[in-house]
């Protein structure tokens, strides 16, 4: 017999033995593809008086799944402390054979006070038939106030063509109305980019959860506009800052109320450099609104603008805007209105 190529995908499992007249013996051939492609080989067997050849053909395949949502982002938004919220994502089998997947955590944020994860998954592993799909239910059950709840998961399928991942994010607030910095939800490229927050018992004693979000206990919101690198720097961070005001969707629909906010911009001379696109608005339950603050510095005197020695001369200016937040669901005994100071800080290139 001519030996089969070492990396051709096919191998002979049993040794060839003498065959007496009228006897039959089986030959075991194993197909073990190492890549996703079609393999073809010829197996030639010789005797003292004749020879035969077999055409071996096989196709190497790898499992493939589709994740819905395709963006890999599953935001829960803001959740009222004590409520439970559910979302779903779907794993679909694109292969022509059954696959098995298992959810594997790559990175996570804070845990509940009770010590367990705020997110649970049903099922956490399952078989998926060809062309079929499995819906995974994600339950978000936070027992503490935080904006640091997240879990980065791998849809682990052995030997899959391309690993699928999903990023799950949620926040929990003491009342339905909340204010926070605008942080666009972006899919992380690496698990290492997500820095899990580890808390020791000593830290938990020193810092309350209410102090780590914007609340009556922490009502100073600082929006600092980045200092331009030069006079030609027009990057957004130098002239735009945003916050988000939201209203949590409640499990008890009857307890839902709209949230209202009102922003009063500073009237002092330096306040003329700052504007706000939304000064007053109502926010429905389950909704959020983005508020943009813009820094518009005055143009430098053209006489001195081209003098090298004066180009980097300037100063940091700071003004205060007032934010009043009211409405929404609040627990009995808690004040309906909350007051916040919005500190607008920017660099003014002016003598």
């Amino acid at each position: 017999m001519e030996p089969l190529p070492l990396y051709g995908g096919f191998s002979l499992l049993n040794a060839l033995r003498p065959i007496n007249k009228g006897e039959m013996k089986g030959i075991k051939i194993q197909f073990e593809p190492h890549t996703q492609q079609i393999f073809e080989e010829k197996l030639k067997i010789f005797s003292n008086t004749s020879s035969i050849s077999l055409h071996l053909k096989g196709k190497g395949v790898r499992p493939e799944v589709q994740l819905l949502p395709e963006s890999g982002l599953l935001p829960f938004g803001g959740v009222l402390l004590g409520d439970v919220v559910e979302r779903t994502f779907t794993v679909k089998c694109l292969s022509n054979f059954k696959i098995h997947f298992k959810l594997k955590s790559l990175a996570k944020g804070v845990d509940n006070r009770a010590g367990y994860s705020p997110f649970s998954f049903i099922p956490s592993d399952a078989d998926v038939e060809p062309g079929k799909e499995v819906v995974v239910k994600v339950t978000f059950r936070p027992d503490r106030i935080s904006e640091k709840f997240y879990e980065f998961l791998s849809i682990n399928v052995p030997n899959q063509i391309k690993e699928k991942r999903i990023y799950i994010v949620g926040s929990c607030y003491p009342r339905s109305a909340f204010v926070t910095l605008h942080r666009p939800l972006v899919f992380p490229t690496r698990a290492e980019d997500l820095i899990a927050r580890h808390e020791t018992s000593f830290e938990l004693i020193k810092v309350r959860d209410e102090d780590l979000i914007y609340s009556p206990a922490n009502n100073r919101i600082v929006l600092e506009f980045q200092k331009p690198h030069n006079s030609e720097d027009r990057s957004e961070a130098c002239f735009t800052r945003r916050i988000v005001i939201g209203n949590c969707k409640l499990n008890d629909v009857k307890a839902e109320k709209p949230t209202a906010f009102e922003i009063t911009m500073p009237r002092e001379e330096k306040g003329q450099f700052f504007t706000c696109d939304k000064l007053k608005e109502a926010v429905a339950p389950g909704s959020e609104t983005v508020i943009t603050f813009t820094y518009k510095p005055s143009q430098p005197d053209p006489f001195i603008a081209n003098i090298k020695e004066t180009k980097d001369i300037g100063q940091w200016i700071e003004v205060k805007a007032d934010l009043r937040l009211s409405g929404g669901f609040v627990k009995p005994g808690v004040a309906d209105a909350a007051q916040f100071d919005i500190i607008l800080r920017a660099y003014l290139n002016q003598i």
Side-chain angles (χ1 to χ4, degrees):
M1 183 192 80
E2 288 186 358
L4 291 169
L6 183 60
Y7 298 104
F10 300 94
S11 58
L12 191 64
L13 296 183
N14 58 334
L16 299 181
R17 303 294 183 186
I19 304 176
N20 297 322
K21 184 178 179 180
E23 289 184 344
M24 297 181 62
K25 289 188 180 294
I27 298 177
K28 294 183 180 180
I29 300 173
Q30 175 179 274
F31 178 49
E32 189 175 8
H34 51 83
T35 59
Q36 184 174 328
Q37 66 179 52
I38 294 176
F39 293 82
E40 291 187 80
E41 297 292 344
K42 277 190 176 182
L43 175 63
K44 294 183 180 180
I45 303 176
F46 303 94
S47 70
N48 292 333
T49 58
S50 63
S51 66
I52 59 172
S53 64
L54 300 175
H55 184 207
L56 307 177
K57 186 175 182 179
K59 183 179 181 180
V61 295
R62 294 177 63 185
E64 184 177 7
V65 297
Q66 181 184 21
L67 176 65
L68 299 173
E70 292 184 351
S71 65
L73 299 173
L74 190 65
F76 276 84
V79 175
L80 180 69
L81 183 64
D83 274 6
V84 179
V85 180
E86 294 180 354
R87 298 279 191 273
T88 62
F89 66 88
T90 302
V91 179
K92 183 176 181 180
C93 178
L94 301 182
S95 302
N96 58 2
F97 53 90
K98 181 173 70 174
I99 64 98
H100 181 84
F101 76 86
K102 185 174 183 179
L103 302 181
K104 179 183 178 182
S105 181
L106 302 175
K108 61 187 299 187
V110 298
D111 282 330
N112 278 331
R113 285 283 184 184
Y116 58 86
S117 173
F119 300 104
S120 60
F121 308 92
I122 300 176
S124 59
D125 66 289
D127 292 325
V128 191
E129 297 293 335
K132 303 297 183 181
E133 58 188 35
V134 169
V135 177
V136 179
K137 182 175 73 173
V138 185
T139 302
F140 181 36
R141 194 188 304 268
D143 71 354
R144 62 187 295 185
I145 299 165
S146 179
E147 293 178 341
K148 303 296 184 182
F149 293 115
Y150 68 82
E151 188 137 10
F152 193 33
L153 295 174
S154 167
I155 315 302
N156 189 25
V157 179
N159 301 314
Q160 63 183 315
I161 295 175
K162 184 179 180 181
E163 183 187 26
K164 299 296 189 294
R165 296 179 173 186
I166 188 163
Y167 184 42
I168 303 166
V169 182
S171 301
C172 183
Y173 298 100
R175 57 181 292 171
S176 66
F178 63 89
V179 57
T180 185
L181 297 179
H182 180 247
R183 304 179 185 92
L185 186 57
V186 179
F187 188 83
T189 55
R190 303 184 310 161
E192 294 78 8
D193 295 334
L194 294 172
I195 304 175
R197 180 181 159 208
H198 300 284
E199 297 174 307
T200 65
S201 300
F202 181 67
E203 289 173 331
L204 292 176
I205 293 172
K206 290 175 58 179
V207 181
R208 299 179 304 169
D209 287 339
E210 292 86 348
D211 296 329
L212 300 176
I213 66 166
Y214 294 124
S215 67
N218 180 28
N219 67 345
R220 183 179 167 91
I221 304 171
V222 179
L223 302 179
E224 183 172 295
F225 298 80
Q226 180 179 295
K227 180 182 177 181
H229 293 95
N230 51 58
S231 59
E232 304 300 324
D233 187 356
R234 309 305 299 175
S235 58
E236 186 182 40
C238 298
F239 304 98
T240 305
R241 280 290 180 265
R242 296 181 176 91
I243 63 173
V244 174
I245 292 179
N247 190 1
C248 300
K249 186 75 176 174
L250 305 184
N251 290 164
D252 183 3
V253 180
K254 295 181 180 180
E256 291 182 339
K257 298 177 184 178
T259 292
F261 71 87
E262 185 173 356
I263 296 174
T264 304
M265 295 296 288
R267 296 180 180 179
E268 60 186 280
E269 182 180 355
K270 290 182 289 185
Q272 65 179 314
F273 300 124
F274 303 92
T275 61
C276 175
D277 67 338
K278 298 175 185 176
L279 294 176
K280 190 175 183 180
E281 193 174 290
V283 184
S287 301
E288 296 180 353
T289 186
V290 178
I291 301 166
T292 302
F293 293 88
T294 305
Y295 174 49
K296 295 182 178 180
S298 59
Q299 296 299 316
D301 189 325
F303 178 74
I304 63 173
N306 295 321
I307 301 176
K308 182 179 179 181
E309 288 74 11
T310 64
K311 282 188 176 181
D312 294 327
I313 297 178
Q315 60 181 324
W316 285 95
I317 61 173
E318 185 175 291
V319 297
K320 179 175 75 70
D322 297 318
L323 166 63
R324 186 177 188 274
L325 194 62
S326 61
F329 173 82
V330 292
K331 294 181 179 180
V334 178
D336 175 75
Q339 202 77 24
F340 297 88
D341 295 336
I342 302 177
I343 308 302
L344 304 172
R345 191 167 186 266
Y347 189 80
L348 181 62
N349 190 11
Q350 180 177 305
I351 298 178

